[in-house]
Amino acid sequence: MTSKTHGRSGGLSTYCVFLAFLAALAVPFCISARAFAQPYPVKPIRLVLPYPPGGGSDTIARPLAQKMSEGFGQQVVVENRGGAGGNIGMEYVARAAPDGYTIVLALTAQLAVNPGLYQKIPYDPIKDYAPVTLLCSGGYILVVHPSLPVKTVKEFIAFARSRPGQIAYSSSGNGSGGHLAAELLNSMAGIKMLHVPYKGGGPALMDLIAGQVQVLFATQLSSWPHVQSGRIRALASSIAKRPASLPDLPTVAEAGVPGFDAGVWYAVLAPAGTPREIVMRLNSEIARVLKQPDYRKLLVNNTIEPIGSPPEELARYIKSELVKWAKVIKDANVRVD
């Protein structure tokens, strides 16, 4: 009798141990399932800016991060990773975990220009990222020295065509946005201007004012005070749509070169493989920020137009811009390395 009781007790003990073992195995899976089910985000997000601190991009990125922090209830931290025309920061994000906690605010240069400008870059602008949204864009102002007998884009094109290679334009450097905008105008308008690169936008503008060069695609912030004083003359805006801050200034496309569009645009992307639901959560939060009057006013005051777009629209836009700028760079034989 004793022996049978002991046998039943031993069997029960073994069964209990087995159940405890199964329960122990289930604990990590339960924790993992609960963690997966938690709404994104559950920890701080890094918004990488592929430029050194203190640049114009910070003006856009830091208020955006602050407002996203408020909406998410988690801190969004701007992390500057500059160098190599933005290639270093872009590679960093491309190699980051696709979990939505490392994203990038990239510009035209990184997504559409650098692939054609550099012989080799450490990332693929299409394959290595999940597009989130086209945040905003800004253009240049086509300005000329008052000594040129032109007041419209059509008059300027006619004047330049009659003097191939004799009209000099300045830029902030080889491969800069202003340089490529002028080369796009050369190509689309059938003119031939002479490029004079400078080390920065300031010297390029000062030599235009001094009459050392005749033309410049300048930023509105730097050039407009001199337009108002009469030291230089504005002909048109470089982007497809008239900027809200200058509604009376025609675009180059309106004024004589249909389809012309050259500016700086800003896009938010995540690493490739980021889950769709996280991409859309980021997209909706940024769309919310773009609707806020104070953030919109900040952008417009810095001559930037708020946009916001679905991820698919951004993907198509990047591809079209890659094709456009690759042709400009190839035709003008632009190289920086």
Side-chain angles (χ1 to χ4, degrees), residues 120-195:
K120 185 178 181 182
I121 59 173
Y123 63 90
D124 186 308
I126 301 298
K127 296 179 181 178
D128 287 342
Y129 305 97
V132 174
T133 190
L134 182 61
L135 181 70
C136 56
S137 69
Y140 303 102
I141 306 297
L142 174 59
V143 290
V144 299
H145 190 267
S147 63
L148 261 64
V150 300
K151 293 185 178 180
T152 67
V153 171
K154 286 184 178 179
E155 289 176 356
F156 172 73
I157 290 173
F159 185 78
R161 280 177 180 164
S162 67
R163 295 162 176 79
Q166 297 178 39
I167 307 298
Y169 73 91
S170 59
S171 82
S172 60
N174 208 30
S176 65
H179 176 200
L180 297 181
E183 289 300 337
L184 181 63
L185 183 61
N186 269 343
S187 174
M188 294 185 69
I191 60 177
K192 185 175 179 59
M193 298 184 288
L194 176 67
H195 180 215

Side-chain angles (χ1 to χ4, degrees), residues 56-312:
S57 301
D58 277 15
T59 305
I60 295 170
R62 295 189 184 280
L64 173 65
Q66 179 182 346
K67 289 190 171 294
M68 289 176 69
S69 298
E70 295 166 1
F72 278 142
Q74 291 287 344
Q75 193 173 14
V76 179
V77 182
V78 174
E79 186 173 313
N80 294 88
R81 285 183 173 264
N87 292 344
I88 291 174
M90 294 300 292
E91 181 183 18
Y92 175 76
V93 174
R95 307 292 175 254
D99 55 10
Y101 292 100
T102 303
I103 58 178
V104 63
L105 179 61
L107 279 67
T108 318
Q110 290 81 52
L111 294 172
V113 173
N114 286 2
L117 201 58
Y118 292 86
Q119 291 184 3
K120 185 178 181 182
I121 59 173
Y123 63 90
D124 186 308
I126 301 298
K127 296 179 181 178
D128 287 342
Y129 305 97
V132 174
T133 190
L134 182 61
L135 181 70
C136 56
S137 69
Y140 303 102
I141 306 297
L142 174 59
V143 290
V144 299
H145 190 267
S147 63
L148 261 64
V150 300
K151 293 185 178 180
T152 67
V153 171
K154 286 184 178 179
E155 289 176 356
F156 172 73
I157 290 173
F159 185 78
R161 280 177 180 164
S162 67
R163 295 162 176 79
Q166 297 178 39
I167 307 298
Y169 73 91
S170 59
S171 82
S172 60
N174 208 30
S176 65
H179 176 200
L180 297 181
E183 289 300 337
L184 181 63
L185 183 61
N186 269 343
S187 174
M188 294 185 69
I191 60 177
K192 185 175 179 59
M193 298 184 288
L194 176 67
H195 180 215
V196 183
Y198 287 77
K199 292 183 178 180
L205 178 60
M206 289 301 102
D207 263 14
L208 173 69
I209 293 171
Q212 301 299 317
V213 293
Q214 291 79 51
V215 187
L216 171 65
F217 276 93
T219 65
Q220 181 182 327
L221 279 176
S222 65
S223 63
W224 203 250
H226 302 292
V227 171
Q228 292 175 313
S229 70
R231 302 174 78 185
I232 54 178
R233 181 181 298 136
L235 300 185
S237 168
S238 71
I239 53 178
K241 181 182 176 182
R242 294 190 185 195
S245 53
L246 295 174
D248 296 328
L249 184 69
T251 67
V252 174
E254 290 176 329
V257 189
F260 187 92
D261 184 12
V264 180
W265 43 267
Y266 301 74
V268 178
L269 306 98
T274 300
R276 171 74 177 178
E277 59 270 22
I278 290 179
V279 169
M280 294 311 299
R281 181 71 181 89
L282 286 163
N283 181 281
S284 63
E285 175 56 27
I286 294 170
R288 184 192 67 82
V289 173
L290 284 171
K291 291 177 183 176
Q292 297 189 15
D294 56 340
Y295 188 67
R296 294 181 68 87
K297 183 178 180 181
L298 169 74
L299 294 180
V300 172
N301 285 349
N302 282 278
T303 68
I304 301 294
E305 301 295 309
I307 302 178
S309 73
E312 295 78 14

